[in-house]
Amino acid sequence: MPFLTSPVLPEGTLSRQSQPDIPTTAGLRLRPWRAEDASAVHAAFQDPTLHQWHGRSCDSPEEAAGWIETWHAEWRRESGAQWAVVHADTGELRGRAALREIRLRDGVAEVAYWTVASARGQGVARHATDALVRWAFDEIGFNRLELMHATANAASCRVATKAGFAVEGTRRRALLHPDGWHDMHLHARLRDG
C-alpha cells in the first residue's frame, strides 16, 4: 500500500555519511564512540544513579565494547545515533548524547542522555542536548525530537526544559525499572518552533 506523502528524510540520510563530531559550548564535544571507550562506559555504569534512571547495568568492559559495536551498527541501520560527550581538550568522558528510535520517514527521533557522576550539575547534559538538537534540525532536517524521562527524575526534567523541550504530557506506568513502574514525562521540540 503506497504512502500518500514523501518521507521527511529519505533512506540513507545518515548512513551515506560518516557519523560527525559535533562541537558544543562549555568546552565539550560530541564524538562517535570508540572501542577504547569501553572501560570508561563500564566505569560510568557502576554509578547507582545510572541504574536508577536507565535500568541497565554493565558487568565488564567487554560488555561495554559490545554496546559500542551495537551503537555503530545503529548508525549504519539509521535506527539510532549515539555520541560520547567528552571534554574538548582532554577527551575525558563526561556523558552520552543520543538519538534513539529514529523514524526517518516521519522525521522523528527521541533524544537521550546521561552524564558520568563527576560531571553532574555542570550543564553537560544541557550543552550536549543543545548541540545535538541544532545538528538534528539544522544539518539533518528532523521535524520533531521527543525526550522522555521518569517523572521522579527532576534533574532530567530541568535539562529537558532548559533545552527548550515543552512538556506534552505524562505516559502513565510507561517504563519498568528495578524499583517498579515509572510514569514518564513526554517532552518535545519542533524544528520550526
Side-chain angles (χ1 to χ4, degrees):
M1 182 179 316
F3 288 98
L4 297 175
T5 59
S6 298
V8 174
L9 296 168
E11 219 174 278
T13 295
L14 299 178
S15 63
R16 71 173 174 245
Q17 61 181 305
S18 296
Q19 186 175 355
D21 275 34
I22 302 173
T24 76
T25 56
L28 302 168
R29 71 182 175 101
L30 280 61
R31 64 153 171 80
W33 289 97
R34 301 174 182 157
E36 59 267 23
D37 294 324
S39 292
V41 172
H42 173 252
F45 271 82
Q46 303 318 297
D47 175 16
T49 299
L50 283 186
H51 297 179
Q52 179 180 12
W53 302 122
H54 295 276
R56 288 190 83 170
S57 66
C58 183
D59 294 331
S60 68
E62 293 75 25
E63 183 178 3
W67 292 2
I68 292 169
E69 289 175 14
T70 298
W71 296 338
H72 287 213
E74 287 175 354
W75 178 268
R76 292 188 299 272
R77 287 191 312 266
E78 300 182 305
S79 60
Q82 309 258 355
W83 283 266
V85 180
V86 299
H87 187 279
D89 295 329
T90 68
E92 179 186 6
L93 182 66
R94 310 303 283 153
R96 163 228 185 204
L99 295 178
R100 303 172 350 131
E101 308 296 329
I102 293 174
R103 297 188 327 262
L104 291 177
R105 168 164 267 294
D106 300 322
V108 175
E110 179 186 345
V111 172
Y113 46 78
W114 51 256
T115 56
V116 299
S118 63
R120 293 205 186 105
Q122 300 172 24
V124 169
R126 158 76 190 292
H127 291 294
T129 299
D130 286 343
L132 183 56
V133 166
R134 277 192 308 275
W135 176 82
F137 284 151
D138 299 343
E139 301 294 322
I140 301 301
F142 279 92
N143 175 59
R144 175 182 168 89
L145 297 176
E146 298 178 344
L147 192 159
M148 285 196 311
H149 63 81
T151 56
N153 189 342
S156 194
C157 195
R158 283 191 300 275
V159 170
T161 302
K162 287 180 180 180
F165 283 77
V167 177
E168 292 191 339
T170 301
R171 296 181 63 204
R172 297 176 303 138
R173 292 184 60 181
L175 194 60
L176 182 61
H177 285 258
D179 63 348
W181 288 100
H182 282 248
D183 291 350
M184 303 293 286
H185 272 160
L186 172 63
H187 296 252
R189 274 189 68 171
L190 304 177
R191 183 178 182 190
D192 59 2

